Amino acid sequence: MASAARQMSRSAARTYASVTTPAAQHHRVVIVGGGTGGVTVAAQLLRKQQGEKADIAILDPAATHHYQPGWTLVGAGLKPLSAMHRPLPDIIPQGVKHYPLNVSSFNPENNSIKTAEGVDVTYDYLVVAPGLETNFAGISGLTEALQDPATQVSSIYSDKTVEQVWKNIKSLKEGKAIFTQPAGIVKCAGAPQKILWMALSQWSKDGVRSNIDAAFATGAGAMFAVPKYAQALEDLRVQRHVEGLFQHNLVSVDAKSKVATFKNLADGGKEVQREFDFLHVVPPQKPWDFVAKSPLADAAGWVDVDKSTTQHTKYSNVFSLGDASSMPNSKTAAAISSQAPVLVNNLLATMSGKEKLNAQYDGYASCPLLTGHNELMLCEFKYGGVPKETFSKYLGGQEKPRRLFYHLKKDLFPYVYWNNFVKGTWYGPRGLSAPKFD
């Protein structure tokens, strides 16, 4: 949802529900999740329904909306954390009802949602966009290690731990530095190595790089899922003397002994222990239980939708986008910028009684992959790992890191996010120009 930690406490949400919300509510469109996907869909729906009486509600218990792509900038010392979040009520579009409630279950046969606070919400149409869960508890010892700054263990995947990343980078003068990426699906799959490259760049600026042995331990078999960029990043890894521990999945952290334990997936899961002086961890990630255990989920726990239309494969009045959906693309904010207009167009078509859905999503996603200070590899691709590059016809292949791309990530994208994206006027590679569907 708007926060991976779902920051509003359940007790606070229950108080809200008992004092201000009747036990049953109905809306024409209900959106579960006030993160990037949910808020963007709400804003675009309102714009499309100008002059009509829209009846839209968002369910999300979080108090804060986070610009999560900015956490890499915070961890690299490029931006303050304060610039990467806003109160959620300030982000939800005016005219959209907000319920700060925790969804406990879906009943799509009856078009209803139960919440932990005892409020039933019914709908005519449902958009499911609660994001995914960063499962820090999925690695033994990690939660405890993150709570103690002295351990030199940190992660850019939480607003509670991201500032410690920069502190740890600046304090390391020598020793062994390990950066991890888990096996399986993670949001922004390039982020685990963005912080690797930025740390190396900072250590070079500080004159200590030659004193530090760096390793990238990933549960995957390559540096990136798209072959074109994987090769370019592998070349960087070799050039910059970073040890590659491929198919090594972190399973436990012993902060006291400063030992990280991995399972070597290429060797039958054999355990491999590595000492560290600096450890950056990306936790395993999974669907929220209230999604995974619902009738809306596929076998893997994601909302089961058509990968082109974003419509549910069984319930025609249900749509999904973003990290919670089953669409087999990279889970990034950039993907949402292309998914949202498709979903909104197809939702409105369904609401008007049309069976044919013309808007099609091609799997576009982007990973603005920082490779150091003043350089960034702008990875853009669609389904099948096929590059779909916006600037290549002007600048050449985007596997080459460029300063222009660095400033897009650092300076332009945060501004666009707060001023256009969540207000429903940003369409990814199309900029401010909304796509037109036949």
Side-chain angles (χ1 to χ4, degrees):
M1 293 191 176
S3 165
R6 308 180 81 192
Q7 291 183 1
M8 173 174 278
S9 69
R10 289 183 179 269
S11 60
R14 288 193 183 97
T15 299
Y16 171 92
S18 63
V19 172
T20 66
T21 308
Q25 292 288 314
H26 179 84
H27 294 276
R28 184 141 171 81
V29 178
V30 170
I31 300 170
V32 173
T36 303
V39 170
T40 300
V41 165
Q44 291 189 13
L45 272 175
L46 286 176
R47 289 180 177 276
K48 287 277 191 177
Q49 293 181 300
Q50 284 182 358
E52 301 178 34
K53 183 175 174 56
D55 180 17
I56 305 169
I58 286 178
L59 274 67
D60 194 314
T64 306
H65 179 104
H66 297 278
Y67 175 54
Q68 294 185 35
W71 287 348
T72 306
L73 301 175
V74 176
L78 300 176
K79 294 285 186 179
L81 181 60
S82 59
M84 301 302 152
H85 59 80
R86 304 256 174 102
L88 179 56
D90 293 352
I91 300 301
I92 291 177
Q94 188 173 3
V96 174
K97 177 70 175 178
H98 175 215
Y99 295 101
L101 304 174
N102 292 273
V103 172
S104 58
S105 65
F106 294 99
N107 184 349
E109 297 290 346
N110 294 308
N111 296 335
S112 68
I113 300 168
K114 286 191 176 296
T115 69
E117 295 76 20
V119 178
D120 290 340
V121 181
T122 57
Y123 56 84
D124 296 324
Y125 301 91
L126 174 66
V127 177
V128 186
L132 53 69
E133 181 179 5
T134 48
N135 184 25
F136 287 95
I139 297 174
S140 177
L142 177 58
T143 301
E144 296 80 6
L146 290 171
Q147 292 171 349
D148 182 1
T151 64
Q152 291 293 299
V153 178
S154 56
S155 177
I156 60 169
Y157 271 73
S158 168
D159 62 307
K160 302 294 190 301
T161 60
V162 64
E163 291 178 301
Q164 189 61 40
V165 177
W166 175 237
K167 293 175 184 176
N168 290 357
I169 290 172
K170 286 295 289 179
S171 67
L172 188 70
K173 305 303 179 186
E174 61 180 357
K176 298 179 174 66
I178 303 175
F179 299 79
T180 77
Q181 177 168 348
I185 290 173
V186 296
K187 53 187 171 184
C188 192
Q193 60 179 296
K194 292 178 190 179
I195 200 64
L196 158 69
W197 302 123
M198 291 306 298
L200 296 182
S201 182
Q202 186 61 48
W203 290 329
S204 293
K205 290 176 67 175
D206 292 343
V208 298
R209 174 65 184 93
S210 61
N211 302 330
I212 297 171
D213 295 323
F216 183 59
T218 171
M223 292 294 287
F224 202 71
V226 178
K228 176 179 182 178
Y229 304 121
Q231 185 58 57
L233 290 164
E234 174 66 9
D235 292 343
L236 275 186
R237 183 190 69 78
V238 174
Q239 292 166 13
R240 297 180 182 181
H241 306 290
V242 176
E243 182 183 6
L245 299 172
F246 297 104
Q247 293 189 284
H248 278 58
N249 198 44
L250 181 66
V251 293
S252 69
V253 177
D254 184 337
K256 185 176 181 180
S257 300
K258 290 190 176 297
V259 171
T261 300
F262 300 86
K263 282 191 175 180
N264 185 345
L265 304 179
D267 191 18
K270 181 180 178 181
E271 288 197 348
V272 177
Q273 292 189 330
R274 298 291 293 252
E275 295 182 348
F276 65 86
D277 299 287
F278 171 105
L279 179 65
H280 179 267
V281 179
V282 177
Q285 292 157 47
K286 63 186 183 72
W288 292 105
D289 283 348
F290 67 84
V291 172
K293 296 177 180 178
S294 79
L296 299 177
D298 64 9
W302 309 104
V303 183
D304 193 4
V305 296
D306 182 280
K307 71 176 187 177
S308 298
T309 67
T310 76
Q311 185 181 46
H312 198 274
T313 57
K314 180 177 180 181
Y315 304 102
S316 61
N317 65 334
V318 177
F319 292 77
S320 181
L321 80 167
D323 296 350
S325 82
S326 64
M327 288 183 280
N329 65 299
S330 184
K331 295 182 182 295
T332 67
I336 290 172
S337 72
S338 289
Q339 292 168 359
V342 170
L343 186 154
V344 168
N345 186 87
N346 288 338
L347 172 57
L348 290 173
T350 301
M351 291 169 69
S352 65
K354 296 179 182 178
E355 293 186 7
K356 180 176 174 57
L357 303 182
N358 291 326
Q360 301 283 303
Y361 171 61
D362 66 0
Y364 173 82
S366 173
C367 179
L369 210 156
L370 291 157
T371 55
H373 289 86
N374 299 313
E375 60 174 59
L376 183 144
M377 185 183 298
L378 185 56
C379 308
E380 293 182 289
F381 45 92
K382 59 184 179 178
Y383 285 141
V386 177
K388 186 182 179 181
E389 298 179 338
T390 303
F391 301 97
S392 60
K393 60 184 175 182
Y394 308 108
L395 301 174
Q398 291 178 195
E399 74 278 9
K400 179 181 178 180
R402 298 180 186 275
R403 181 164 189 156
L404 169 62
F405 298 154
Y406 173 85
H407 287 292
L408 289 178
K409 165 73 174 176
K410 176 179 173 288
D411 303 313
L412 180 64
F413 289 164
Y415 175 86
V416 165
Y417 186 81
W418 296 120
N419 292 279
N420 299 100
F421 201 149
V422 292
K423 294 181 179 180
T425 60
W426 182 254
Y427 304 96
R430 300 180 59 89
L432 301 175
S433 176
K436 295 180 181 180
F437 303 105
D438 296 329

